[in-house]
Amino acid sequence: MTIVQNPDAAALAGGVGSDRGHRRGWLALARFGGPAAVYAVFALLIGLPLALVLLQAIMPGLFAVDGATGLLSLEPLVSIFSSPSTAASILHSLELGLLAAFTTTVLGGAFAVLVQRCDIPLRGTISVVPWLVFLTPSYLKALAWVLLMSSGGYLAQLGLLPPALGADFFGLAGLVFVHTLSLFPLATFIIGSALAGLGSELEDAARLSGAGAFRIWLRVNGPLLAPAIVLSFIATFAEVLSDFGLASTIARMSSFGVLTYGIYAAASDYPVDFPAAGAQALVLLALVLLVVVADRLLRRRADPHLISGRAKPARLYNLGAWRWLALAAALTVAFLALILPLGAIAARALTSTLGHGLEPGNFTLANVTAALSPYTAANEGLMRSLFYAGLTAIIASALALLLSAQLDRSSPVMRTAVLGLSLGAVAIPGIVLGFGYILVWNRLPGFRDWPFPHYGDGSLLVMGYVAAALPYCLVVILSAIGQLAPSLTDAARLNGVGAVRRLLSVTLPLILLSVVTAFLLTFIRTVFELPMSQMLIPQSGPPAPTLILKLFSHDRDGLACAIALAAMAAAGGAAALVWYPLKRFIAPGLRRPRRGNIASGEPS
């Protein structure tokens, strides 16, 4: 029997089978490609640089110029611990971190109690001070205090600085003092958040039992706030260990070596001492990792559950006449931490020389003019930083939005893993991440020949900025997406709306304020980002943070302060121009329902 095959039917069957195969391929790609892309981004931006830093510390010949070898050796670690200067820098970092963490926790906790639980005047205004101090870079505060406390500085000219105090400032005491004023907002935020959840029912019960205020804080509130106090100490200790701003200014001027500056010195020397830089980076990472592990263990074990449905709002303490003394203390902290440093930077930017002080004939606009005039090195550095910061904010926010949308549809295991990577990346010192980028894009075969990004080019600096900012953006945007009901995107999916259109027309309008917040925080942070700027200076010219330190070290502090002042004004002004119109006009429109024709299917 002869079977006659219908060619059209065969073609149709083949077409249906191929369509099903293509559809399965696309589904498999969408299922596995998204998570793979998320992990690839983290591996390229953060994982690979850190891995090379660790390998460099135990394989000193990995990137040797005269012949690379992969032999394991502990010689770099033995060398840094046997070197008196390097061993001293490790001890200095630990000593400075412990002292500054203690003083910062005390000041930040007292400030939180004063603002949240006491009836002092101007409470609303004073509560903004920690945020303003927190957004001011540490190296600008350090430069300001150098102008104030040096032998020919402003305080000495006004007769307010004894010679002995000025000499003692450039050492451990001055570093602890500036760190305390710079980081006390961190302790205020941590302890204040726990204090906000501490109701008054326990205090009322203790008061009815005859306990006084001091005993209540010692026996009741103190133990409940102990986890937050310890967490504040740990977080501040990690921040001091990772800080590069004070390490490159006051610590360097006073020959008080610390680990972060030792890594920079080894990586910027010629020829570059990769093993020494890698070994010091490994020690710094180990110390920070111990702090992070202690923080996680404490958060897991110490959870007093302060907020409940029966909690009563805490009462403000009536200080009576003492409230004016408390107000004076809070204003003193605000003056020392914010007003006085910014005033010193502004005064130096508007004067010709530091030696002639605040005399009327010494005031000039030459420094500000040089910083704002086109085609000058100062203005080019300022514009370069603003451009890099804007580009970084766009890339980091867009990348965080895409990753967050992908993670929102992923499994809880992957979401937890990426959040853990993000929070862990926040604790990575910027100087270590910058050194890792040097190893990847300058020494690793294959990467050093890439045209984009390329070592010595501004594209690599932007990539480093994105790596440093991405964890912050991801946490902010992912928390906002997590609050959206799945039914919103499910309804759009059932109506045939694609993934990209769902993201742009449904998800993005609802979380627009969070995306803009991540954008602005990244922009302001990147304008003043110092460690990455120092490690990855492009050949086209230094950005503003590097230029500020370079000018300050070459006795051109007036122009350096003018650049810093212009950068603060530009970053703050741009953020205000974006944030306030958006919050005032666009956000109410997003929340206000629009009338639609339900019968015709128009959206409401």
Side-chain angles (χ1 to χ4, degrees), residues 209-226:
S209 299
F214 178 77
R215 190 177 180 184
I216 289 174
W217 279 92
L218 185 64
R219 293 292 188 89
V220 180
N221 293 343
L224 291 175
L225 293 175

Side-chain angles (χ1 to χ4, degrees), residues 233-301:
F233 184 91
I234 291 174
T236 308
F237 179 71
E239 285 291 328
V240 175
L241 284 181
S242 305
D243 179 75
F244 183 69
L246 269 69
S248 58
T249 51
I250 297 178
R252 180 183 60 83
M253 296 172 62
S254 56
S255 300
F256 190 86
V258 291
L259 270 175
T260 49
Y261 192 79
I263 298 171
Y264 167 72
S268 60
D269 198 5
Y270 185 81
V272 178
D273 194 349
F274 286 112
Q280 293 181 75
L282 178 60
V283 173
L284 181 59
L285 276 176
L287 293 175
V288 175
L289 181 62
L290 289 176
V291 173
V292 173
V293 170
D295 174 76
R296 294 299 146 198
L297 291 177
L298 186 62
R299 287 178 186 269
R300 181 176 300 177
R301 295 182 180 180

Side-chain angles (χ1 to χ4, degrees), residues 298-470:
L298 186 62
R299 287 178 186 269
R300 181 176 300 177
R301 295 182 180 180
D303 188 7
H305 299 292
L306 301 179
I307 301 178
S308 66
R310 295 177 295 176
K312 298 179 181 179
R315 298 186 182 92
L316 294 179
Y317 287 99
N318 185 6
L319 300 181
W322 291 97
R323 65 194 185 107
W324 299 107
L325 182 61
L327 175 63
L331 292 178
T332 301
V333 173
F335 178 76
L336 293 176
L338 183 66
I339 299 174
L340 187 59
L342 293 182
I345 291 176
R348 187 62 192 94
L350 297 174
T351 53
S352 297
T353 62
L354 179 62
H356 289 86
L358 302 177
E359 297 179 359
N362 193 34
F363 282 91
T364 180
L365 294 176
N367 295 322
V368 178
T369 302
L372 299 180
S373 298
Y375 309 111
T376 61
N379 183 258
E380 289 177 357
L382 176 62
M383 293 296 105
R384 196 176 292 117
S385 278
L386 294 175
F387 172 72
Y388 289 159
L391 186 60
T392 300
I394 293 173
I395 296 175
S397 301
L399 191 58
L401 179 62
L402 294 175
L403 292 179
S404 299
Q406 174 63 40
L407 291 174
D408 191 54
R409 301 190 301 269
S410 301
S411 63
V413 175
M414 184 178 179
R415 182 185 176 97
T416 304
V418 173
L419 276 177
L421 288 173
S422 300
L423 294 175
V426 169
I428 297 171
I431 197 73
V432 174
L433 192 60
F435 175 62
Y437 269 70
I438 293 177
L439 294 178
V440 173
W441 301 97
N442 186 36
R443 308 302 301 171
L444 192 63
F447 286 87
R448 61 188 177 191
D449 299 326
W450 280 18
F452 185 86
H454 188 71
Y455 182 75
D457 190 57
S459 58
L460 184 60
L461 180 58
V462 172
M463 185 176 179
Y465 286 156
V466 171
L470 181 61

